[in-house]
Amino acid sequence: PVPQSSIPLDLGVVPIAAADGTPALAIVLTISEPTAEMAPGASRRESVDVTATAIAQDGGKGYGTDRKTLAVEWNPSNSPRGQYEVLSLLAVPPGRYEVRVGVKTGDARTASVYASAEAPNFDDDLTLSGLALSAAPALKTAGAEAVAGVMAFVPTARRTFHADDRVPAFMRINQAPDPFE
């Protein structure tokens, strides 16, 4: 059997140095309006719970959980589908992780998605963050304050763009101070 979900999800995870220089995982979840819900032009409000967790691949220890409850208005215009992006930032020690994100809607439908990521030791001589993309026009976003001061923009999990979208990229290069200076 193949798991199916009536709530389409996309996930992006970017390893990055937090404001204090420690490793963190910037998590971006795109939630699309549940399929076959409403006629175009119709709208409805719904409470949506989102939980993001980072789990170490060596031993299964959890390193933080971020929970958010959103009041979502699906399809508030004549757009073909409503979409929302939810951001989280989880502090982790250097290592490999599985990031799991679960969603539960007000009518008890659930969906989940996961991704793997490696957080480098930003104390090493030279390290790179992950590559993050943004897009304009942007989707509605919750939790953008999580990455403020850490990234130059609000990232997106989208990987399909229109010809007239602006799609900047961001990557941080970190260099440890020379101990002999």
Side-chain angles (χ1 to χ4, degrees), residues 23-159:
L25 300 175
I27 301 166
V28 186
L29 174 72
T30 302
I31 306 171
S32 296
E33 177 184 342
T35 56
E37 284 293 311
M38 299 174 299
S43 68
R44 69 179 170 87
R45 290 191 173 275
E46 182 172 35
S47 176
V48 177
D49 295 323
V50 178
T51 303
T53 304
I55 301 166
Q57 288 183 349
D58 60 346
K61 181 179 178 184
Y63 282 97
T65 297
D66 185 44
R67 291 182 173 87
K68 292 178 174 42
T69 299
L70 311 173
V72 172
E73 182 177 359
W74 294 119
N75 206 14
S77 67
N78 282 331
S79 64
R81 165 178 281 168
Q83 291 185 313
Y84 288 82
E85 291 198 309
V86 184
L87 285 86
S88 300
L89 187 70
L90 296 178
V92 296
R96 295 174 187 245
Y97 295 91
E98 182 173 287
V99 175
R100 298 179 185 176
V101 182
V103 173
K104 182 177 181 183
T105 64
D107 59 0
R109 286 176 295 166
T110 60
S112 63
V113 63
Y114 63 91
S116 296
E118 183 172 353
N121 182 351
F122 289 105
D123 291 334
D124 287 347
D125 291 338
L126 187 65
T127 53
L128 300 174
S129 72
L131 179 66
L133 299 178
S134 185
L139 300 176
K140 292 182 181 179
T141 304
E145 67 280 355
V147 297
V150 177
M151 292 187 163
F153 54 59
V154 176
T156 184
R158 290 172 48 197
R159 294 301 179 258

